[in-house]
Amino acid sequence: MAGRNVRNTRIASRAVRAAAAAACATLVLAACGSTKDSVSSGGGGTGKVGVILPLLTSPFWQSYNDYVPKMAKSEGVDALKTVNSNSDPSQQITDINNQLNQGVKGLVVAPLDSAAIAAGLDQAERKGVPVVAVDVAPEKGKVAMVVRANNVAYGEKACEYLGKQIPSGKVVQIMGDLASVNGRDRSEAFRTCVQKNYPKLKVLEIPAKWESDTAASKLDTLLNANPDIKGIYMQAGGVYLAPTLQTLKSKGMLKKAGQAGHITIVSNDGIPQEFDAIRKGEIDATVSQPADAYAKYGMYYIKAAMQGKTFKTGPTDHDSEIVKLPSGILEDQLPAPLVTKDNVDDPKLWGNTVK
């Protein structure tokens, strides 16, 4: 009797496992279709969406904030009023939890800290709420998509521009927060490119953590010790442009392009203030980070994630490419053109459309 019971139990167990496997396979096929990479499913494509900003002290993020309700409307997303984490990673986790407690069905977050954001992502995953990350990729945690430009290319473009303008001498890179993958990518890319392609340039570095006051004070100190600086790479014009120009002006070192003693300056962001500075000859170039497209595709992907739609790596229909990061997360790398005096008036640049 005992033997037959064991045998019958084993047969039943195998049958249950086979049935479960068949059901699982059916679900996988239904969810994934013909693609191999997929986003999370959320609230069936409907419901409130929370949008969390990293800060609002930068013109770049102010512009992104202005684009959010417009793009939410155009993409058919019911977005709540944006929440500002005010440059505080801990506050950002609190903001995520507050939004989840309000019953949002999706979240669009611009992470401050690539590692710390995982705590908020875990909370969202536990509640079955999909998240789209904008501008910064998390190191771990579940997100449906990262909407971001290629930050390695930012550093490389800045390096190439300065390297072609300056045969030799000292150049400064005013770095972002190295707790952010953006700060690390831009810094390492710039440093590596200079070492490889322009060995006659010497890179001096200022870790400024996306803080304008920190950038100003450290640049002042650096210029006192190195008055022969030939070039500057600012990793975020939104927070570094004004303090950099003010510091140079206070020292009598702000010379316009073409004048003797001009310091070649390349920035990142593509804000209207940078474009004006290029027109005036105060800076030479910037990489236009697409604030409008960040808002548009943040909304596009969160709606898709809430509907359970799937994506795979490769070119998109909006001149970008979806890549798989080492973490396994999918990232839509949007185009970010270099802007100089030759194309600064291009009406297609979002910095020329801001009123």
Side-chain angles (χ1 to χ4, degrees):
M1 177 69 73
R4 285 198 299 272
N5 285 340
V6 170
R7 182 172 178 273
N8 290 339
T9 299
R10 287 173 178 170
I11 292 172
S13 177
R14 284 197 295 270
V16 168
R17 287 199 301 268
C24 181
T26 300
L27 288 172
V28 169
L29 287 172
C32 297
S34 62
T35 60
K36 62 182 179 180
D37 297 311
S38 64
V39 297
S40 326
S41 61
T46 61
K48 302 288 185 181
V49 170
V51 183
I52 298 176
L53 309 175
L55 51 100
L56 271 175
T57 53
S58 160
F60 176 83
W61 288 109
Q62 291 165 8
S63 295
Y64 171 81
N65 185 50
D66 291 340
Y67 279 121
V68 164
K70 301 173 187 176
M71 297 302 182
K73 183 177 180 180
S74 68
E75 295 297 321
V77 173
D78 188 5
L80 297 174
K81 184 179 179 181
T82 57
V83 177
N84 174 21
S85 298
N86 202 28
S87 299
D88 185 343
S90 297
Q91 180 60 45
Q92 191 162 68
I93 304 306
T94 299
D95 292 337
I96 289 174
N97 286 328
N98 288 341
Q99 295 282 289
L100 292 171
N101 290 335
Q102 289 181 41
V104 296
K105 300 301 181 182
L107 280 170
V108 178
V109 181
L112 280 159
D113 187 306
S114 295
I117 196 65
L121 298 179
D122 290 345
Q123 291 285 354
E125 185 179 6
R126 279 194 284 271
K127 295 202 173 187
V129 175
V131 181
V132 168
V134 171
D135 180 58
V136 174
E139 290 181 4
K140 59 182 179 178
K142 187 175 182 179
V143 296
M145 183 69 74
V146 179
V147 177
R148 181 175 177 247
N150 185 341
N151 279 246
V152 171
Y154 287 7
E156 291 173 345
K157 288 178 182 180
C159 159
E160 292 292 338
Y161 188 88
L162 287 178
K164 291 175 181 177
Q165 305 297 319
I166 306 168
S168 62
K170 300 173 184 176
V171 296
V172 181
Q173 71 161 330
I174 305 177
M175 300 185 292
D177 192 342
L178 298 181
S180 159
V181 67
N182 287 7
R184 295 197 298 272
D185 279 357
R186 297 177 199 186
S187 300
E188 182 60 28
F190 182 80
R191 188 184 305 126
T192 300
C193 173
V194 170
Q195 291 172 350
K196 180 180 178 180
N197 301 316
Y198 306 100
K200 292 184 179 180
L201 295 182
K202 179 180 180 181
V203 178
L204 305 177
E205 298 182 336
I206 295 175
K209 299 191 295 184
W210 314 126
E211 297 171 353
S212 57
D213 290 346
T214 301
S217 63
K218 291 189 175 183
L219 179 61
D220 184 83
T221 300
L222 186 146
L223 290 173
N224 287 337
N226 301 273
D228 54 343
I229 290 295
K230 299 287 185 65
I232 297 174
Y233 167 39
M234 303 182 297
Q235 290 188 7
V239 288
Y240 298 155
L241 177 67
T244 296
L245 295 182
Q246 289 165 3
T247 301
L248 292 175
K249 186 176 181 179
S250 70
K251 293 181 172 297
M253 299 175 69
L254 184 59
K255 308 293 184 182
K256 292 187 177 182
Q259 292 182 345
H262 171 68
I263 295 175
T264 304
I265 302 176
V266 184
S267 188
N268 285 162
D269 272 351
I271 59 175
Q273 294 89 334
E274 288 172 308
F275 289 4
D276 288 342
I278 290 173
R279 294 182 184 106
K280 293 175 183 176
E282 294 174 336
I283 73 172
D284 301 82
T286 186
V287 178
S288 179
Q289 185 171 213
D292 55 345
Y294 278 4
K296 175 179 176 64
Y297 291 104
M299 294 300 139
Y300 169 81
Y301 282 114
I302 195 60
K303 183 177 181 179
M306 291 163 64
Q307 293 174 340
K309 290 187 178 177
T310 60
F311 298 92
K312 60 182 179 180
T313 56
T316 70
D317 60 0
H318 48 272
D319 298 323
S320 66
E321 183 173 3
I322 296 176
V323 301
K324 181 175 282 189
L325 302 177
S327 61
I329 294 171
L330 294 181
E331 176 175 289
D332 187 356
Q333 294 190 337
L334 302 175
L338 182 72
V339 181
T340 68
K341 63 181 180 180
D342 294 331
N343 64 337
V344 70
D345 294 320
D346 186 343
K348 294 179 182 178
L349 294 168
W350 73 266
N352 286 324
T353 67
V354 177
K355 296 188 173 70

